[in-house]
Amino acid sequence: TDIMNVPTPIPRRNQDADLVRAALSRIEKIRASTQAILIYCGLSSEQKTSFPGSLKKSSVILKENLLALEKDHSHLFEDVEEKDKDGNPIIKLEDAWNKHLQYVDQTVQSAADMDADDITAEDEPAKKRQKINEETTSPPVQTKKMVISARVLLTPGRKPIYTLIPELKKKNAVLIKNGSVSSIRMEFGTAFEMTIYFKPLLVTIRAMNKEDSVTSATGRGLSTLSSGIQWPSLHQGLNTGEATDSKTNQVSVLGVSGTSSTLGPIIAKQLEYASAQATHVLRKCFAERVNDKDSPFEIEIMEASALIKFMRIVRSTYHNGKWVDIED
């Protein structure tokens, strides 16, 4: 806490002095709001009632200044980004878990933003009382059921809907058939790949191999589950992937180099986390689009729409929002 209380000194010589002063002012507000949140969290329930609305006000200040800093100094991040010959950012293995896939319900978000804008610190106690009264008198809001499996789309023995193939090409995704089981694979540079399964709805993110054929199950370290799904090993590509130096056999991630036996388990754990996060977002997309329709054709159309939304989120996240659909 002593370090947090030390103000950041303002530099005396700088050609962008105004910009630096503005940045330092925002950093100071971030420090103060963060400290206020920490202090509030340490208060007892009775003490918190003496500061109505303070937690929300601090979080709003924190969010506003973080977003403003990111906007004002976005060029600094662009300058240090590694880019290919076409000027596009190079995707790295660590992007798989550093760039979080997030599902956002646009309707709920816009309504929440409108309500937050209308509420002031003075209105907070009254708004709280009104909310409590509404909760006691109104029936509970029904949440959408989580979907864990596709009902029609690309289920065993089902051919893909005709509108899906062009969308897969636009997102540079490939439909993989293994007997009666279908899956979709998306590659991200030479760093990692994503495989989407439908029964059940699962996503795997694994490092890509340099040497092994993409169609070789034994070369890719796949194990076949009872449902017929070929499940890739978490250590896939860590010995021969893009992150591994073929001469020294050293794995490099986040600027750290080491043997695959040393860093491999750490990377595998991160990929497992990224896969679980992607699976959650995929299931949220299906839960939003698929409802209690009876017609298999209608269900398939809605599930295809959910899949397309998920692929759009994936490409936008890992390509920094600069992905452009591939047109014929």
Side-chain angles (χ1 to χ4, degrees):
T1 56
D2 293 338
I3 298 178
M4 293 180 64
N5 292 326
V6 177
T8 307
I10 299 178
R12 299 179 180 275
R13 295 181 181 179
N14 196 304
Q15 57 182 0
D16 299 321
D18 294 337
L19 186 62
V20 172
R21 288 191 182 92
L24 290 174
S25 175
R26 297 192 184 280
I27 292 173
E28 193 67 19
K29 291 179 181 178
I30 292 172
R31 181 197 62 77
S33 58
T34 303
Q35 189 176 14
I37 292 173
L38 290 174
I39 293 174
Y40 185 87
C41 292
L43 298 177
S44 63
S45 300
E46 294 181 356
Q47 291 173 326
K48 289 179 180 178
T49 58
S50 303
F51 304 96
S54 58
L55 182 61
K56 185 171 184 178
K57 187 175 181 180
S58 298
S59 63
V60 169
I61 294 173
L62 179 63
K63 182 179 178 181
E64 286 179 353
N65 286 278
L66 284 173
L67 292 175
L69 275 177
E70 182 181 6
K71 181 179 179 181
D72 294 342
H73 301 277
S74 59
H75 63 282
L76 298 177
F77 298 98
E78 294 177 358
D79 291 341
V80 300
E81 249 182 359
E82 292 187 38
K83 298 182 180 180
D84 57 19
K85 59 182 179 180
D86 298 324
N88 299 318
I90 297 176
I91 298 177
K92 299 180 180 180
L93 180 58
E94 52 263 31
D95 291 339
W97 59 83
N98 281 340
K99 297 181 179 179
H100 300 278
L101 298 180
Q102 292 190 6
Y103 169 85
V104 178
D105 191 328
Q106 299 295 337
T107 305
V108 175
Q109 185 190 37
S110 58
D113 290 342
M114 289 176 60
D115 292 342
D117 292 339
D118 296 337
I119 299 174
T120 62
E122 291 77 10
D123 298 333
E124 187 72 22
K127 193 69 180 178
K128 250 181 205 178
R129 289 193 295 270
Q130 181 184 355
K131 185 177 180 181
I132 293 173
N133 293 333
E134 289 176 353
E135 288 177 350
T136 55
T137 57
S138 304
V141 179
Q142 293 183 351
T143 57
K144 296 176 182 176
K145 295 181 180 179
M146 181 61 72
V147 178
I148 63 173
S149 180
R151 295 168 60 185
V152 179
L153 182 68
L154 294 177
T155 52
R158 185 87 179 185
K159 293 183 179 179
I161 188 172
Y162 69 94
T163 56
L164 181 61
I165 302 300
E167 291 295 332
L168 293 179
K169 291 181 178 178
K170 290 180 181 180
K171 299 295 185 292
N172 196 21
V174 180
L175 176 63
I176 307 295
K177 296 283 288 185
N178 178 37
S180 61
V181 178
S182 300
S183 60
I184 289 176
R185 180 175 299 135
M186 304 173 72
E187 296 182 352
F188 300 88
T190 57
F192 61 91
E193 65 183 19
M194 173 184 289
T195 306
I196 306 169
Y197 304 95
F198 296 91
K199 204 168 184 66
L201 286 169
L202 293 170
V203 179
T204 62
I205 300 177
R206 301 292 186 263
M208 284 183 60
N209 286 338
K210 286 181 179 179
E211 301 172 356
D212 296 326
S213 170
V214 294
T215 58
S216 171
T218 56
R220 296 168 58 82
L222 299 174
S223 58
T224 304
L225 305 182
S226 57
S227 58
I229 293 177
Q230 289 190 336
W231 195 254
S233 167
L234 284 167
H235 294 269
Q236 171 193 297
L238 296 184
N239 293 325
T240 58
E242 183 67 25
T244 306
D245 191 327
S246 57
K247 295 181 180 178
T248 62
N249 199 29
Q250 294 278 309
V251 181
S252 298
V253 177
L254 292 171
V256 179
S257 297
T259 61
S260 57
S261 60
T262 303
L263 293 181
I266 300 174
I267 298 173
K269 198 69 178 176
Q270 295 285 3
L271 291 174
E272 185 180 26
Y273 163 76
S275 300
Q277 175 69 12
T279 296
H280 176 74
V281 174
L282 174 65
R283 293 179 177 182
K284 290 284 285 185
C285 290
F286 270 69
E288 176 202 23
R289 299 300 176 94
V290 180
N291 47 30
D292 298 329
K293 292 184 179 296
D294 297 326
S295 169
F297 180 68
E298 289 180 313
I299 294 173
E300 190 171 27
I301 290 177
M302 297 305 293
E303 289 182 333
S305 175
L307 174 63
I308 293 170
K309 177 177 180 177
F310 174 73
M311 292 192 296
R312 188 182 301 120
I313 292 173
V314 169
R315 285 300 184 190
S316 176
T317 300
Y318 291 133
H319 292 269
N320 297 335
K322 299 178 182 179
W323 171 261
V324 179
D325 284 349
I326 300 173
E327 303 291 346
D328 293 335

